[in-house]
Amino acid sequence: MMWRALSADWLKIRGKGLWFLVFLGPVGLIAMQGVNFGLRYDYLRNQYQADLWGGLLRNVSDFVPVALYLGGTLVCSLIANIEHQTSSWKQLLALPVSRTAVFMSKLLICLLLLVVSCLLLSAGTVFLGLLLGFSTQPIPYADVLRIGFASYAAAMPVIVLQLWLSLSSRNQTLPVSLGMTLSLLSLFSVFLSEWIPLSWPSLAWNAENPWLFSGAGLLLGVIVLLPGALHFARKDVA
Amino acid sequence: MKDTVIETRALLKEYRGRAAVKELNLNIRQGEIYGFLGPNGAGKTTTIRMLLGLIKPTSGSIEIFGRELRRNKLQILRKVGSLVESPSYYGHLSALDNLEAIRRILDVPKPRIAEVLDIVSLTGEEKRPVKGFSLGMKQRLGIAAALLGSPELLILDEPTNGLDPSGIQEIRSLIKRLPEEQGITVLVSSHLLSEIEQMAGTVGIIREGQMVYQDTIAHLQEQAAGNLSLAVSEPEAALVTALRRGCGGELQEGRLILPRMSDARVSLLVKELVEDGHAVYRVEEHRQSLEEFFLQVVGGGQS
């Protein structure tokens, strides 16, 4: 049942600027590093000469959490808006499909779009590295994949929360402004305790045990998912 | 007797202590067009949302197709098509894609889309984005979406709201066709009596969340048929005569008020009264329009 809902959602996201957003995030990050490395090429190449790819990845990674939070917020809000706009909830939820399936389908489509973003980020990083002539050193594929996905897993609690808030009310002011605030705060992750989930995407790259934070993110994501799905399944549809 | 399709018992919905729908007992039988009538804010939409499981009743029970709604929601909704208030659509998609998105959830065969487009005569417009549609076309698309799953029960909330006369006419004839051609039971709500009168066989009138009238349209018209008013010299004695003749009737402000009867009976009664020595000053027929009767029923609280 959820697959049927997902296939319907897949159709609905057309022409809503979602795909544009999905491409904008990684392309923007890579372009920023392109400028960074382009302007200070000799200095940075010199600084990272032992591990050129590692240096590039470190520079990209600084902005991955904020991009993930911002992108997640906007994707969730846009997805929710497809149904809010012409109050299609009453039509959708009067169809023979369970509320849980609808909620899970919305979540999956958000997650899927962000997966595409993360893949693009990895691909873009390799592309930029090759463009900068780093091919003299072997490409660290594992780290290249980790750059997006490790932080992504750690950002799960916030993404799930954002989707829940976006789906809950027609008014998107609260979810979007909360998402923006969290994105900005995440820039200061270094000053936050590791017990605060907001800092996990950054720690999932930097910490000594990065997998711990990715795992914790996934776990907490599932925990936030339960009340979200339950609330969505029970609420009155206006 | 035909099967009951929708039956609600003592349905109650409260919003912060204020009852939007109270003690509502709906009874809709198979194959009929049931007109759900009431002024704006009477609780029609609230009731319909409860029937579709969009909102939960505070108390009371809903049975559709003889099964409890809450426990069999998905099986029931599979056989129900609905259009609630303003049309829901995805403006950025074409009519075809709008229906396709619903079709994927309903899991009906693809050719069904062309069928329903044909039923609501939108064939030829299906490739255009829906945001460029007129309200009437959006409404028709909404009905097409409701018909997509070949429902046995169609619930339409104010389907003609905001349409121009020709649009109203079109939707009306469409709705009237459905039970005849496809054996669908239709629940249609409106705040316009004339609307319901022209479509429905049975009517339920709701006021301030309570059902104040539920019967066939024919019976409603009968009730609203009006009465005969006689001004005579000795009303009390005349009443006795009228009652003896089995005409029924009562005294109001010194006049004899009788229910409507045939011309022959009127002439007989008048003849007898004259022969009894009454002076008959006036014989008037007062015809109450259905509209007046409706206002009397829904306005009962205020006047």
Side-chain angles (χ1 to χ4, degrees):
Chain A
M1 186 154 52
M2 193 182 71
W3 298 114
R4 284 192 269 138
L6 188 66
S7 122
D9 277 333
W10 186 253
L11 188 68
K12 291 181 209 164
I13 60 171
R14 264 194 228 160
K16 276 306 213 183
L18 274 156
W19 286 110
F20 173 72
L21 191 67
V22 161
F23 281 82
L24 182 72
V27 169
L29 283 191
I30 297 302
M32 207 160 78
Q33 288 316 311
V35 172
N36 181 23
F37 275 79
L39 289 177
R40 319 188 277 167
Y41 183 73
D42 295 324
Y43 168 75
L44 288 175
R45 183 166 180 123
N46 198 30
Q47 191 181 345
Y48 298 129
Q49 67 190 149
D51 183 8
L52 289 169
W53 288 102
L56 175 61
L57 287 170
R58 195 170 319 143
N59 275 280
V60 172
S61 78
D62 286 343
F63 298 95
V64 169
V66 63
L68 267 173
Y69 281 141
L70 212 57
T73 300
L74 295 177
V75 166
C76 289
S77 179
L78 283 172
I79 292 272
N81 242 338
I82 293 175
E83 307 290 347
H84 285 312
Q85 211 162 35
T86 49
S87 25
S88 306
W89 289 115
K90 55 184 162 59
Q91 189 181 51
L92 177 62
L93 297 179
L95 293 174
V97 57
S98 79
R99 300 258 188 118
T100 320
V102 171
F103 186 85
M104 290 308 290
S105 149
K106 299 284 177 206
L107 179 65
L108 272 182
I109 204 116
C110 289
L111 295 184
L112 217 64
L113 288 170
L114 291 173
V115 162
V116 174
S117 282
C118 285
L119 281 174
L120 278 171
L121 182 70
S122 297
T125 309
V126 173
F127 175 73
L128 180 64
L130 294 176
L131 206 68
L132 292 169
F134 292 177
S135 50
T136 47
Q137 294 183 0
I139 301 171
Y141 285 108
D143 276 349
V144 162
L145 280 177
R146 207 160 65 83
I147 181 92
F149 287 103
S151 299
Y152 179 28
M156 208 55 77
V158 171
I159 293 169
V160 174
L161 181 73
Q162 283 297 330
L163 182 72
W164 178 12
L165 290 176
S166 284
L167 291 182
S168 292
S169 149
R170 197 189 172 104
N171 186 343
Q172 296 294 303
T173 322
L174 171 72
V176 172
S177 49
L178 179 74
M180 297 279 182
T181 313
L182 291 179
S183 319
L184 291 177
L185 279 177
S186 75
L187 284 173
F188 306 100
S189 294
V190 255
F191 305 111
L192 294 175
S193 148
E194 60 183 28
W195 290 103
I196 297 176
L198 194 62
S199 65
W200 292 354
S202 155
L203 290 166
W205 177 257
N206 290 324
E208 270 176 54
N209 292 311
W211 297 113
L212 206 61
F213 294 97
S214 296
L218 285 177
L219 195 68
L220 188 61
V222 173
I223 294 173
V224 177
L225 176 64
L226 290 175
L230 213 63
H231 169 245
F232 184 78
R234 292 177 172 210
K235 73 177 186 139
D236 280 357
V237 179
Chain B
M1 185 151 152
K2 288 182 192 164
D3 293 342
T4 299
V5 174
I6 301 181
E7 187 172 21
T8 72
R9 280 188 222 98
L11 199 58
L12 175 79
K13 178 67 185 180
E14 284 182 336
Y15 287 110
R16 299 198 180 100
R18 200 189 70 88
V21 170
K22 51 190 169 194
E23 301 295 308
L24 193 75
N25 298 304
L26 266 181
N27 197 314
I28 301 175
R29 284 197 293 277
Q30 203 210 328
E32 71 178 357
I33 300 185
Y34 185 98
F36 197 30
L37 191 61
N40 292 328
K44 298 188 297 289
T45 300
T46 308
T47 307
I48 284 175
R49 280 170 196 266
M50 282 192 277
L51 292 178
L52 293 170
L54 292 172
I55 57 179
K56 282 189 297 293
T58 310
S59 67
S61 74
I62 301 174
E63 272 186 22
I64 299 181
F65 303 120
R67 284 195 286 185
E68 222 277 316
L69 176 65
R70 202 173 314 175
R71 249 166 275 138
N72 306 289
K73 198 168 127 189
L74 296 188
Q75 293 102 297
I76 289 172
L77 287 178
R78 185 66 193 77
K79 299 198 276 181
V80 177
S82 68
L83 173 69
V84 181
E85 278 186 321
S86 56
S88 303
Y89 56 92
Y90 305 105
H92 59 295
L93 299 178
S94 67
L96 205 61
D97 284 342
N98 265 276
L99 293 174
E100 172 66 15
I102 296 167
R103 188 201 68 84
R104 288 187 184 180
I105 291 176
L106 287 171
D107 206 18
V108 292
K110 264 199 172 165
R112 181 71 191 152
I113 291 182
E115 280 174 43
V116 293
L117 279 170
D118 187 49
I119 293 177
V120 300
S121 29
L122 276 179
T123 315
E125 308 280 357
E126 69 265 34
K127 298 263 165 61
R128 266 171 55 198
V130 176
K131 60 185 165 204
F133 276 22
S134 70
L135 183 60
M137 289 166 78
K138 285 173 186 164
Q139 204 77 349
R140 294 212 306 266
L141 178 65
I143 294 182
L147 290 173
L148 197 59
S150 314
E152 291 171 31
L153 167 67
L154 199 58
I155 297 180
L156 305 171
D157 188 16
E158 308 259 1
T160 55
N161 213 1
L163 297 186
D164 59 19
S166 73
I168 291 177
Q169 181 63 44
E170 225 169 302
I171 302 261
R172 189 192 295 145
S173 61
L174 179 64
I175 292 171
K176 280 168 83 169
R177 244 170 42 214
L178 293 172
E180 292 161 19
E181 290 176 10
Q182 328 211 8
I184 301 176
T185 309
V186 183
L187 166 62
V188 53
S189 86
S190 175
H191 57 268
L192 298 172
L193 173 71
S194 55
E195 201 57 43
I196 295 295
E197 198 190 345
Q198 292 178 62
M199 285 190 279
T202 309
V203 61
I205 302 179
I206 183 175
R207 175 172 65 88
E208 286 166 13
Q210 276 176 308
M211 191 66 93
V212 286
Y213 185 92
Q214 182 167 243
D215 212 322
T216 61
I217 280 279
H219 193 249
L220 180 73
Q221 279 160 340
E222 222 168 82
Q223 284 215 359
N227 51 33
L228 208 62
S229 161
L230 266 75
V232 291
S233 51
E234 287 138 52
E236 283 87 359
L239 179 64
V240 175
T241 308
L243 289 176
R244 201 177 54 227
R245 289 201 57 88
C247 296
E250 52 178 349
L251 283 182
Q252 271 177 25
E253 295 161 9
R255 281 174 162 241
L256 193 55
I257 308 292
L258 304 167
R260 227 169 96 79
M261 54 178 102
S262 68
D263 292 351
R265 290 191 68 188
V266 176
S267 79
L268 270 177
L269 179 67
V270 171
K271 186 166 170 243
E272 191 164 336
L273 286 174
V274 172
E275 280 170 358
D276 278 3
H278 293 284
V280 179
Y281 307 129
R282 300 266 194 289
V283 181
E284 292 166 344
E285 191 182 40
H286 178 66
R287 297 204 87 165
Q288 192 185 24
S289 73
L290 213 50
E291 205 69 43
E292 278 172 319
F293 180 75
F294 171 55
L295 285 175
Q296 195 185 317
V297 171
V298 297
Q302 292 99 309
S303 59

